[in-house]
Amino acid sequence: MAGGKMKKDKPQRGSSSAASNPHFQGGISFHKSKGQHILKNPLLVDSIVQKSGIKSTDVILEIGPGTGNLTKKLLEAGKSVIAVELDPRMVLELQRRFQGTPLSNRLKVIQGDVLKCDLPYFDICVANIPYQISSPLTFKLLAHRPLFRAAVIMFQREFAMRLVAQPGDTLYCRLSVNTQLLARVSHLLKVGKNNFRPPPKVDSSVVRIEPRGPLTPVNFKEWDGLVRICFNRKNKTIGSIFRQKSVLNILEKNYRTLQALQFSEKAPSDDMEMALDVSSLGESFGDLSMDADDGNDDDDIEMDDGDTKRAEFKEKVLAVLKEGKFEEKRSSKLAQADFMHLLSLFNKAGIHFS
């Protein structure tokens, strides 16, 4: 949620009680459990709007406007604002705040779940979102057509740093790779938790996301299948990962099935079809620790070479890694071009990930 109606009376301190306890402001209760953390620092709101680079002709999408502090600044900076809000109480408050003002004609409020509704055309998205929808919302936006110029979004700090992480960084992960395949991502500013009411448990960061266009001609389900396997144990060598019995079983099953169907690789026909695949990239991102190498080696059982067909398939997989000189490399150090090259080598050998 973005914004929060400021009162002159002394603000309440953030409570350290359970997340379900309401926090009141202007007669409205806010709940941490629903991701309702309202920006209370007007200087921070001004800074976010300034760094967004809004043009006077821009149609602005705001997600989770709350009671409208950020909304007001966006309306003053752009042509119009489309605000998507799930909470009906906030919708009423937003409408009351701007009713009868010159800004009301330039504000459209959509009540609903942003992950389920069809988004209209917009030039730029500026939002302070509930953090639990960070991943699916990011990829929903990147799948939106026509392409928008940029999204400037407040995320939980660790999630934000994963978005911008580069090969070799501690937080570099599958989320980093998938997002940066589709967009240029940059960190704008760090936001302390005390800038919110009620304060969240962690600090936040504002990130700028600029979609790349046109999309890279790749099967995104194949791409994510490869990247998911590689980052399951990102600090192990690629050779070690692809010797695991569980990994080889999956790849061999795909290989035999596609052979039986006489599969021929079909690239997505157009940008819109590719965009539909993009949205699926965010479906399985949940816990921030999903890409961590936790040291659990329960799945690190190498394929038994006793079965001739299985042994032959294992050698086929390892031959691909040897051809690309990937055996001793680690996922945590690989760049976009490396993963793209590895995927092309596997596909050339008839090995697929979806």
Side-chain angles (χ1 to χ4, degrees):
M1 290 177 54
K5 200 167 186 178
M6 300 299 293
K7 294 285 185 179
K8 290 184 179 180
D9 48 310
K10 187 177 180 180
Q12 296 177 332
R13 286 189 173 185
S15 171
S16 59
S17 57
S20 59
N21 285 352
H23 293 248
F24 294 94
Q25 184 180 25
I28 296 179
S29 60
F30 302 107
H31 298 267
K32 288 185 180 181
S33 60
K34 296 180 179 179
Q36 296 180 338
H37 299 283
I38 309 302
L39 275 172
K40 67 178 184 180
N41 185 343
L43 294 180
L44 180 58
V45 173
D46 289 340
S47 180
I48 292 172
V49 173
Q50 181 181 7
K51 289 179 180 294
S52 298
I54 298 170
K55 300 177 182 179
S56 60
T57 56
D58 280 344
V59 175
I60 306 165
L61 174 68
E62 185 184 9
I63 299 162
T67 54
N69 274 359
L70 180 57
T71 311
K72 183 176 183 295
K73 296 294 183 179
L74 295 176
L75 285 167
E76 292 171 352
K79 178 181 179 181
S80 62
V81 172
I82 301 166
V84 183
E85 173 60 63
L86 180 62
D87 192 333
R89 301 172 307 150
M90 304 300 173
V91 172
L92 290 174
E93 179 65 20
L94 200 63
Q95 291 172 337
R96 279 197 295 264
R97 179 167 187 170
F98 295 102
Q99 188 175 16
T101 70
L103 299 176
S104 62
N105 292 333
R106 296 193 283 116
L107 173 64
K108 178 181 179 181
V109 182
I110 299 174
Q111 183 180 338
D113 185 341
V114 68
L115 297 180
K116 297 178 180 178
C117 67
D118 293 329
L119 297 177
Y121 171 88
F122 63 94
D123 297 297
I124 187 168
C125 173
V126 183
N128 169 30
I129 66 170
Y131 294 153
Q132 59 264 38
I133 68 169
S134 295
S135 288
L137 176 61
T138 297
F139 289 101
K140 180 182 175 74
L141 289 175
L142 290 174
H144 182 73
R145 293 297 180 273
L147 286 175
F148 53 95
R149 187 171 73 254
V152 177
I153 302 179
M154 181 91 70
F155 291 114
Q156 182 178 333
R157 179 159 176 79
E158 185 176 346
F159 183 90
M161 299 316 293
R162 286 177 182 266
L163 286 178
V164 302
Q166 296 298 306
D169 292 348
T170 302
L171 292 177
Y172 186 63
C173 61
R174 178 171 144 244
L175 176 65
S176 318
V177 174
N178 280 343
T179 305
Q180 293 170 32
L181 175 71
L182 305 168
R184 290 174 289 273
V185 190
S186 56
H187 182 269
L188 295 183
L189 70 155
K190 181 179 178 180
V191 181
K193 56 189 176 183
N194 292 327
N195 288 286
F196 299 88
R197 180 181 295 114
K201 294 180 180 180
V202 295
D203 290 336
S204 304
S205 280
V206 178
V207 170
R208 184 180 182 88
I209 301 173
E210 299 179 6
R212 301 182 190 274
L215 288 174
T216 304
V218 64
N219 183 316
F220 289 106
K221 292 181 181 179
E222 282 276 300
W223 168 270
D224 190 49
L226 168 66
V227 174
R228 183 194 299 270
I229 289 174
C230 289
F231 277 99
N232 187 45
R233 295 287 186 270
K234 70 176 184 178
N235 291 318
K236 292 187 178 294
T237 64
I238 298 294
S240 175
I241 291 172
F242 280 92
R243 283 184 174 90
Q244 292 177 25
K245 185 176 181 179
S246 58
V247 172
L248 287 168
N249 281 342
I250 292 171
L251 295 183
E252 186 181 15
K253 183 179 179 180
N254 288 347
Y255 181 74
R256 304 298 179 200
T257 301
L258 294 175
Q259 272 195 327
L261 296 174
Q262 295 183 333
F263 177 86
S264 60
E265 179 75 5
K266 176 181 178 297
S269 61
D270 55 29
D271 190 64
M272 183 59 71
E273 185 178 338
M274 293 169 69
L276 293 175
D277 286 340
V278 168
S279 61
S280 66
L281 293 182
E283 292 174 357
S284 56
F285 288 101
D287 191 335
L288 285 176
S289 63
M290 63 169 185
D291 296 312
D293 189 342
D294 58 12
N296 184 348
D297 293 333
D298 289 347
D299 294 329
D300 295 352
I301 303 172
E302 291 196 8
M303 175 70 80
D304 184 355
D305 292 341
D307 186 302
T308 303
K309 285 188 176 181
R310 288 189 172 184
E312 289 176 353
F313 181 76
K314 178 180 177 180
E315 290 306 313
K316 189 179 186 70
V317 170
L318 297 181
V320 169
L321 300 183
K322 185 176 181 179
E323 179 185 353
K325 299 180 180 179
F326 283 101
E327 287 179 298
E328 299 303 318
K329 294 182 179 180
R330 302 176 192 275
S331 304
S332 58
K333 308 289 185 182
L334 297 184
Q336 295 282 338
D338 297 319
F339 286 111
M340 196 70 72
H341 181 45
L342 180 56
L343 179 61
S344 68
L345 291 176
F346 272 123
N347 287 171
K348 181 181 177 182
I351 299 171
H352 295 269
F353 295 84
S354 65

